[in-house]
Amino acid sequence: MSPPLSATSRETSAPVLTEARPASLPRWAGAVVLSPLGARYLGLDDESFAWFHGTGMPFAAVGALAYLSALLSLGHWGLRVMRSQKHPYEPWLWDHSWRRELYDQRLTQLLVSWPVSLILLAILAVVHWLLYSQAFSRGHVLPGAMLGLVLLAFDVIIFTRVLGPTVRATLALLRSGRMRLHLPGVPLELGSQCQVHLEARPSLAHLSNVKVELRCIREWAETTGSGDSQCTQSVIHIAHSHAYTVDAAALREGKALALPLELSEGGPEHSTALHAARSCHWELKLSSEVSGADLDITFVLPVYYTGGGNPARAS
């Protein structure tokens, strides 16, 4: 593991160790930005793509958007690196784009799961059509029926494991909207007590209580064995966990629900470090046992060790 960053608190002038690192260079963005140079090096020019004539506009638009996204990604990465050099003892300013208002991640997850689900459905439709057309066109009725049973079992697995959760998550998002968590400030300091406020619109009329679980999770890759028997596996360690239940009367009335948080005492090893060799993050999991309450969300919190100084607050 690479040595941690060493920094100094403004007030105490004591060394503050943190494993936080800026995110690594986005390789995809570098590859996109350097692709024109690579094409020119390989001797490719406009004449080499003459077969695109007539349909080149859509490809050019997609390429331009990809190139612009790559430039923005590289610029964002460079800005974080400069901030980490200017404020090495305040990782909450560059470790992540923290805000005092956090949104649940269901919409982001759906933007990934829906394309995957649609691609799987398209592949299944093509496979069904090819196999059935070949089987029944040649008069193989019994083998075609047996093949249909096998594909049906496969379809059930796809629909229950992939499409079903995606549809349920979409319906839950449409019914309850995106939930927001308001923080008193950024960062939240280890060893402190504070209140965060959960806001749900529209109100959750059927929600009786909220199960709150605050956890500190550390993750790292561990390699065992050697030679052909060498194996690398991900290790997840829960360094801290605290759970309790609160009455959800405020959410039923359409108001923000206050959730008290008691952040345990801890050193730099319990500070948020999203891109370290041994990453650490704090998460707040909110759920309910009531059927149809549409509450099962997790927020990642900006919890940092400040070394006793007055931390600069993120906007």
Side-chain angles (χ1 to χ4, degrees):
M1 183 180 69
S2 56
L5 290 174
S6 179
T8 305
S9 172
R10 289 178 174 177
E11 290 190 356
T12 61
S13 296
V16 177
L17 301 179
T18 174
E19 295 182 354
R21 299 281 189 284
S24 58
L25 174 70
R27 296 181 180 179
W28 72 270
V32 171
V33 170
L34 295 177
S35 58
L37 295 178
R40 187 169 297 277
Y41 176 78
L42 295 175
L44 301 177
D45 51 22
D46 293 339
E47 296 180 356
S48 303
F49 298 96
W51 57 283
F52 272 118
H53 288 172
T55 60
M57 186 58 68
F59 290 97
V62 172
L65 290 176
Y67 199 84
L68 179 61
S69 299
L71 289 176
L72 291 175
S73 179
L74 289 175
H76 191 56
W77 172 80
L79 181 61
R80 288 188 178 180
V81 171
M82 289 189 293
R83 284 181 177 175
S84 69
Q85 295 173 350
K86 186 177 181 181
H87 306 280
Y89 49 85
E90 296 165 350
W92 50 89
L93 298 179
W94 45 264
D95 191 27
H96 183 72
S97 300
W98 296 113
R99 296 291 184 269
R100 293 183 61 177
E101 186 178 68
L102 305 179
Y103 287 86
D104 70 75
Q105 298 301 308
R106 289 181 298 176
L107 180 59
T108 303
Q109 295 168 355
L110 289 175
L111 291 177
V112 175
S113 59
W114 265 116
V116 172
S117 300
L118 293 177
I119 291 174
L120 285 176
L121 288 177
I123 294 175
L124 284 177
V126 171
V127 170
H128 278 252
W129 181 79
L130 289 176
L131 293 179
Y132 288 153
S133 61
Q134 290 295 322
F136 290 105
S137 64
R138 299 181 180 181
H140 304 307
V141 178
L142 182 59
M146 296 180 63
L147 181 61
L149 292 177
V150 174
L151 291 178
L152 180 61
F154 187 71
D155 293 342
V156 170
I157 295 175
I158 293 295
F159 278 86
T160 55
R161 298 292 182 88
V162 179
L163 190 59
T166 301
V167 172
R168 288 194 295 270
T170 302
L171 294 176
L173 182 61
L174 293 175
R175 285 195 298 265
S176 62
R178 295 189 73 183
M179 298 185 183
R180 293 180 291 181
L181 190 72
H182 299 272
L183 307 180
V186 176
L188 304 178
E189 300 177 44
L190 284 168
S192 66
Q193 296 181 352
C194 62
Q195 271 192 350
V196 296
H197 293 82
L198 178 67
E199 183 179 348
R201 295 182 179 177
S203 61
L204 301 179
H206 302 290
L207 186 63
S208 58
N209 55 59
V210 175
K211 296 175 58 179
V212 183
E213 184 176 6
L214 177 65
R215 303 195 303 175
C216 175
I217 301 177
R218 294 183 60 83
E219 299 183 44
W220 66 90
E222 192 171 89
T223 302
T224 57
S226 60
D228 296 338
S229 61
Q230 183 173 331
C231 177
T232 301
Q233 58 183 0
S234 178
V235 179
I236 300 177
H237 172 65
I238 300 178
H240 171 78
S241 178
H242 176 59
Y244 59 95
T245 302
V246 297
D247 183 27
L251 290 180
R252 293 195 298 270
E253 298 172 0
K255 302 177 182 178
L257 175 65
L259 302 173
L261 296 184
E262 184 174 348
L263 301 170
S264 63
E265 294 282 353
E269 69 277 4
H270 295 113
S271 179
T272 298
L274 299 179
H275 306 289
R278 288 183 174 238
S279 65
C280 178
H281 72 273
W282 288 73
E283 64 179 27
L284 184 67
K285 181 176 176 59
L286 307 175
S287 60
S288 174
E289 295 179 349
V290 178
S291 174
D294 299 331
L295 184 63
D296 185 12
I297 54 178
T298 301
F299 295 95
V300 178
L301 302 179
V303 179
Y304 287 89
Y305 174 74
T306 62
N310 292 326
R313 297 286 178 176
S315 59

